Amino acid sequence: MSVTVKVCAVPSLADVAAAEWDTLAAPGGLYTSHAWLGSVEREPGAGVEYFLACRGDRLVGALPVYDVDVEYNPFYARSRHLDLLGLDGGWALAGSRRGYRFELPAAADGDAGMDALLAAARNRAEARGERGLLFPFVTTRTARRLWEHGAAVALDGAEAAVVTEGASFEGYLQNLSSKRRIAVRHEFSAFRSAEYELDVENLEDCHQEAAPLLGQLQRKYGHEARDEGMREYLAGQVEMLGKYSRVFTARRSGRLVGFSLMYEFGDVLYARAVGFDYAQTGKAFEYYALCYYLPIEYMHRRGLRVLHLGMETYQAKVARGARLSPLWAVALPLPSAPRPEVAPADTSEWLRRFGRRALPADEWQQPWTSAWEAPAAWEGAR
C-alpha cells in the first residue's frame, strides 16, 4: 500500500531536525547541509521558506525558496542568471543563495516527493505573479532532474575538485604530469624550507587572528573589507559551522601569518577562505601549500576522498590535478507554461582551454548542450 506524499512549508531550518535534514541532503555535501543553509538563512537581505515533502513521517524531499529584497553578492543577482538564460521578468530564487553549488535534497525513492515538492513551490510562485523558479549554480544531477520537469538550462560556471581517494601526497603526485610533479615538489620543498610553525586548528581558536589576514587578501584584490567586518563574518562561521572547521595555519614565533579555512563534511574537504600577512609571506608558495598540499596530507591521514576548491582560477587548479564539473543556471517555469527557448549551451571553449582529462564528459555533455566533436578530434586538447 502506497503512502501519500504531503508537502508543507516552514519558515526556518530550526523547525527541521538537523539529523533528518542531513540524512536527506548528504549526497549534496556541505552546501546543502542543515548547518550551511542555516547560516545562509541568517544573512540579511532575504526571507526564506523551506518546502518539505514527507511520506508518512519520513522526509523525502526539500527545497528552499527565497524572497530576496537586497542581494549583496553580485554572482547571485537574479539578473545575472536570467541574462545567461536569455529570460526576463519575475522569478522566485530557489535552491541556495551562497556556496556556488546546490543539489536538490531528495531520497533515493523520492521521485513522487520531488514531483509534489516542485508543484507546491511553483504554485507559490504563480500565486505571487512570478514566472517560475530560478535555480543558480546547480549540479548536473539536479539540472537533469529539473530539465525533465520542463526547465531551461544554461552554463553558469564550473567547480573544481581534486579527487585523491585518500592517497598519500606521493600518490597524489602520480596523477600529475611529470612536469607538474617537478613543479609541485619544488613549491612544497620551498615552503617546508621556510620553516613556518604549522598546525590544523579549529576556527573558534584562531578567527580573531585570522580576520585581519583575510582583510588583507580582500583589499589586495580590490574589495572593500574592514577587519571588523571580517571578524563578524568569521564569528558567524564559528557559531554555525565551527565543528566542521579545519584551519591550516602558518605561524612565525607564534604569530599567525597565513591560513586557509576549510570545512570537513562527509569525506570531502571544502576550501572556503584564505588570508596572509603579506609583509611576512609571499616567497615560499604559501598559498599552494596551505590550500592544496597540507590539506592533501591531512586528507590522507583522515581518509578523505575529495578536496573541493570551488569556482574561478581554473587554470591553477587544473594544473594541480583538479577536475572541473559544470554548474548550471536553471529556470523552471509554471506548469502551464512551455519550456523557455534557450540556445544549447556551448561548452567547447572549456574543452579547448582545459582538455578532456579535466572535464568529465558525462557531466559536460547533456541534452541541453551542443555536442563535442568525436573524441579523436580533441585528444590533443591541453
Side-chain angles (χ1 to χ4, degrees):
M1 178 179 175
S2 62
V3 179
T4 302
V5 173
K6 295 183 178 180
V7 177
C8 66
V10 298
S12 173
L13 272 183
D15 298 319
V16 185
E20 184 179 23
W21 180 281
D22 284 342
T23 297
L24 186 71
L30 175 71
Y31 298 122
T32 317
S33 71
H34 192 279
W36 179 263
L37 291 176
S39 72
V40 175
E41 179 183 316
R42 298 177 62 170
E43 290 198 17
V48 62
E49 274 191 296
Y50 300 92
F51 286 83
L52 309 174
C54 296
R55 181 180 287 118
D57 60 358
R58 185 168 69 96
L59 186 64
V60 295
L63 176 64
V65 179
Y66 296 89
D67 291 317
V68 181
D69 296 319
V70 180
E71 181 50 74
Y72 297 98
N73 183 338
F75 286 98
Y76 272 95
R78 264 178 292 205
S79 58
R80 177 186 177 277
H81 302 284
L82 290 174
D83 286 348
L84 291 172
L85 289 153
L87 301 174
D88 56 18
W91 295 75
L93 190 77
S96 181
R97 294 178 58 230
R98 296 293 181 266
Y100 306 107
R101 186 183 205 276
F102 180 74
E103 187 159 311
L104 277 167
D109 61 348
D111 286 348
M114 189 54 60
D115 292 345
L117 197 69
L118 294 174
R122 287 197 278 184
N123 287 341
R124 174 192 188 271
E126 185 171 26
R128 295 177 178 225
E130 294 163 327
R131 296 183 61 186
L133 306 176
L134 179 65
F135 294 79
F137 301 115
V138 303
T139 64
T140 296
R141 180 160 50 183
T142 289
R144 184 65 181 252
R145 195 162 203 167
L146 296 171
W147 182 82
E148 290 169 350
H149 280 81
V153 184
L155 186 63
D156 208 357
E159 58 180 349
V162 177
V163 180
T164 69
E165 299 293 353
S168 66
F169 189 75
E170 281 300 314
Y172 151 73
L173 288 175
Q174 297 312 305
N175 287 319
L176 305 180
S177 68
S178 58
K179 182 178 179 180
R180 289 306 311 166
R181 284 198 296 272
I182 292 169
V184 168
R185 283 196 174 105
H186 167 71
E187 291 170 358
F188 205 15
S189 176
F191 176 78
R192 292 289 194 189
S193 297
E195 297 185 339
Y196 291 109
E197 300 148 17
L198 305 176
D199 203 354
V200 182
E201 304 182 33
N202 188 285
L203 184 59
E204 183 176 10
D205 298 328
C206 62
H207 70 282
Q208 294 286 352
E209 295 175 276
L213 277 61
L214 178 58
Q216 281 196 43
L217 180 136
Q218 293 292 315
R219 291 188 291 272
K220 178 180 179 180
Y221 290 100
H223 304 293
E224 292 186 12
R226 297 179 300 106
D227 289 352
E228 186 56 37
M230 297 298 97
R231 288 191 181 92
E232 292 174 3
Y233 165 72
L234 291 178
Q237 296 282 290
V238 168
E239 184 176 356
M240 299 300 296
L241 294 150
K243 70 178 182 179
Y244 303 110
S245 67
R246 308 291 182 264
V247 186
F248 296 85
T249 57
R251 296 178 179 272
R252 283 274 189 234
S253 301
R255 180 169 172 265
L256 187 67
V257 297
F259 79 92
S260 68
L261 167 61
M262 302 197 175
Y263 293 110
E264 182 179 337
F265 191 87
D267 58 3
V268 181
L269 196 60
Y270 293 84
R272 280 304 305 167
V274 62
F276 296 98
D277 180 344
Y278 286 104
Q280 301 294 324
T281 60
K283 298 180 179 179
F285 302 98
E286 292 90 350
Y287 176 85
Y288 296 118
L290 289 169
C291 292
Y292 292 79
Y293 310 147
L294 292 174
I296 286 171
E297 289 189 332
Y298 173 85
M299 290 166 60
H300 175 59
R301 297 194 298 271
R302 293 280 296 170
L304 307 182
R305 297 179 51 254
V306 179
L307 176 61
H308 185 273
L309 297 166
M311 297 182 68
E312 303 299 337
T313 61
Y314 299 117
Q315 200 69 57
K317 292 170 181 175
V318 169
R320 287 161 182 81
R323 302 188 80 194
L324 305 180
S325 296
L327 296 167
W328 310 97
V330 178
L332 181 65
L334 302 178
S336 58
R339 188 194 309 271
E341 293 186 10
V342 175
D346 183 0
T347 61
S348 59
E349 176 63 16
W350 291 77
L351 179 64
R352 186 192 68 77
R353 289 177 60 195
F354 301 112
R356 64 181 300 187
R357 286 190 63 185
L359 307 179
D362 61 339
E363 293 194 46
W364 287 86
Q365 290 287 267
Q366 296 296 324
W368 57 83
T369 64
S370 298
W372 285 344
E373 298 176 6
W378 38 276
E379 286 286 350
R382 63 179 184 274

